[in-house]
Amino acid sequence: MSLHGAVDVDSPPHTLPTVGTNLTDLTLRRKKLTVRELGGCMGPIWRSYFNDCSSVIFVVDSANIAQVSSSCIQLLTVLSAQALRDTSVLIIFNKRDTPCTMSLAEIRSLFRLDDLVACAPQPISTLEASARSGTGLREVLTWLESVAAK
């Protein structure tokens, strides 16, 4: 999901599915960050952006059951990339407030999340969120601030 406009954690952001790539500039604690958003359909070219990454936010649409397993495969590709071995990773399970979402236990099992966190060379954090309601946005910004400080 793409966040358009100013980031205001007190009101739900306007969202659109990401098709292609978007750039968004954020200023967190006086530090300017550029967020490059790559849609899932851009998976075949993600690798060309890995060398410029200082952190990765991987968003899983947990309401799209048909895509959850392919998201897992894409995540494994990201985590196995040599260029990202030392890059902090945040996995966001989005759309947690929709009625057709998989349970968090089902997603954790499908992704073998405990094994991923234990075996991946990168530090991995996870969050539940909803881009539609803004739930979890403050936590995402806090995570960004913490990795930008390193």
Side-chain angles (χ1 to χ4, degrees), residues 134-147:
T135 302
L137 181 57
R138 185 175 310 276
E139 291 82 0
V140 171
L141 294 173
T142 299
W143 182 86
L144 274 172
E145 287 176 342
S146 72
V147 297

Side-chain angles (χ1 to χ4, degrees), residues 20-69:
T21 182
N22 296 312
L23 290 175
T24 302
D25 290 325
L26 298 175
T27 302
L28 301 172
R29 293 191 183 175
R30 297 187 200 129
K31 186 166 186 168
K32 185 176 178 179
L33 305 171
T34 299
V35 176
R36 178 178 304 274
E37 180 182 8
L38 299 169
C41 65
M42 302 293 287
I45 67 162
W46 286 357
R47 199 169 285 286
S48 62
Y49 295 97
F50 288 171
N51 288 329
D52 295 329
C53 283
S54 58
S55 58
V56 171
I57 298 176
F58 191 91
V59 181
V60 177
D61 181 346
S62 56
N64 188 341
I65 296 169
Q67 291 295 322
V68 170
S69 53

Side-chain angles (χ1 to χ4, degrees), residues 62-150:
S62 56
N64 188 341
I65 296 169
Q67 291 295 322
V68 170
S69 53
S70 66
S71 294
C72 184
I73 293 166
Q74 286 181 313
L75 176 60
L76 291 172
T77 300
V78 168
L79 295 176
S80 65
Q82 184 64 33
L84 300 176
R85 287 189 66 76
D86 298 322
T87 304
S88 295
V89 176
L90 175 62
I91 303 169
I92 300 175
F93 297 107
N94 190 27
K95 298 184 184 175
R96 297 303 303 153
D97 57 351
T98 59
C100 298
T101 189
M102 294 177 74
S103 74
L104 192 56
E106 290 171 320
I107 292 174
R108 290 183 71 85
S109 176
L110 180 65
F111 275 72
R112 297 190 58 180
L113 202 53
D114 293 335
D115 292 336
L116 276 180
V117 170
C119 296
Q122 303 91 337
I124 298 175
S125 302
T126 61
L127 285 173
E128 294 181 70
S130 173
R132 293 185 190 277
S133 70
T135 302
L137 181 57
R138 185 175 310 276
E139 291 82 0
V140 171
L141 294 173
T142 299
W143 182 86
L144 274 172
E145 287 176 342
S146 72
V147 297
K150 294 179 183 178

